[in-house]
Amino acid sequence: MLKLIFVSLRTNLFHMEIFPVISSILSADHIGLLVANKYGLAGDVSCTLLKTGINHSDLVVHITSKFVFRLYSLNWRSDLEINEEIRLIISLKKQAFLFLSL
């Protein structure tokens, strides 16, 4: 099962995490460490960059779960726009589950 993680770095501009940077792309290894730390994931966690662009998506794999970590560029989209994207993804996930359950 694939889970989604949405994190807004806008919530605390005065205390941002520091990441090693390669061509303006955050280190996938360090994103994996951040996700493991923030969400209490014990054991092996790996992270792979899926897509770059204005916003980046990374696949985070834990022992029994997979997550998509989405990093939004600062001030590119409003909180309302991001929340609507999350609402749409959750709705699509529920519809897919209902479809698969038939």
Side-chain angles (χ1 to χ4, degrees):
M1 170 177 277
L2 191 63
K3 298 179 183 176
L4 299 170
I5 298 175
F6 295 90
V7 175
S8 172
L9 295 180
R10 281 188 267 181
T11 57
N12 190 349
L13 294 177
F14 300 106
H15 179 71
M16 289 190 180
E17 298 291 332
I18 297 172
F19 286 83
V21 178
I22 302 169
S23 300
S24 299
I25 297 172
L26 298 182
S27 163
D29 291 339
H30 286 79
I31 289 174
L33 293 172
L34 172 74
V35 170
N37 183 41
K38 295 283 185 184
Y39 294 94
L41 302 177
D44 292 333
V45 175
S46 66
C47 183
T48 306
L49 180 65
L50 292 176
K51 179 190 157 300
T52 61
I54 295 170
N55 303 305
H56 296 197
S57 297
D58 291 85
L59 177 64
V60 179
V61 179
H62 184 240
I63 298 166
T64 59
S65 302
K66 293 181 181 180
F67 307 88
V68 172
F69 178 86
R70 186 117 158 103
L71 182 66
Y72 292 93
S73 296
L74 184 63
N75 296 326
W76 176 249
R77 295 174 60 204
S78 70
D79 286 342
L80 176 63
E81 291 169 320
I82 293 169
N83 288 331
E84 285 300 309
E85 178 183 352
I86 294 168
R87 189 184 64 76
L88 174 63
I89 291 170
I90 290 169
S91 176
L92 292 172
K93 179 182 174 185
K94 288 178 182 176
Q95 289 177 19
F97 177 77
L98 291 174
F99 176 74
L100 294 173
S101 298
L102 296 178

